Amino acid sequence: QVQLVESGGGLVQAGGSLRLSCAASGTIFSINVMGWYRQAPGKQRELVAIITSGGSANYADSVKGRFTISRDNAENTVYLQMNSLKPEDTAVYYCNLGVRGRVYWGQGTQVTVSS
């Protein structure tokens, strides 16, 4: 059984920063992909950033240059450093783990950016 637990969301003013964390527990194989998705009210869930266990990262165009994804393989933890936040970044952010054809999701953490 794999569990993902996110933390670090909250309320921040535009231009501010937040750091999200997601810790995975259970049977985690070493080769996997972890990432962050987000879902704003009335919109579909969208990819924010993903990172492989080898450290290769990809970002949505809307967050490039502002967000940085990183991971600690020893701790099975993925981070999302979010800088220069904008009101349009407001959403529930979900951690995601893809391993051996299976996908796991965290419960989500709310990020609200005020203008």
Side-chain angles (χ1 to χ4, degrees):
Q1 185 76 9
V2 174
Q3 283 192 317
L4 302 175
V5 178
E6 301 114 330
S7 60
L11 173 65
V12 64
Q13 288 189 329
S17 298
L18 283 174
R19 188 189 194 213
L20 305 182
S21 300
C22 172
S25 61
T27 301
I28 310 293
F29 294 98
S30 59
I31 299 175
N32 56 66
V33 178
M34 297 188 78
W36 292 93
Y37 290 70
R38 66 186 181 188
Q39 187 166 18
K43 295 188 177 181
Q44 288 189 330
R45 191 172 297 188
E46 64 176 4
L47 170 71
V48 176
I50 56 172
I51 185 167
T52 69
S53 47
S56 296
N58 282 288
Y59 298 89
D61 288 343
S62 59
V63 306
K64 282 181 181 176
R66 299 188 298 122
F67 291 10
T68 302
I69 190 170
S70 61
R71 62 186 290 167
D72 182 335
N73 289 335
E75 298 293 329
N76 290 319
T77 301
V78 64
Y79 305 96
L80 186 68
Q81 178 65 44
M82 304 184 293
N83 298 328
S84 302
L85 282 160
K86 304 175 181 179
E88 50 264 44
D89 294 317
T90 294
V92 177
Y93 283 70
Y94 295 92
C95 178
N96 170 279
L97 167 67
V99 56
R100 294 199 173 187
R102 302 194 67 173
V103 177
Y104 302 91
W105 293 94
Q107 80 285 356
T109 185
Q110 178 70 46
V111 171
T112 302
V113 184
S114 63
S115 57

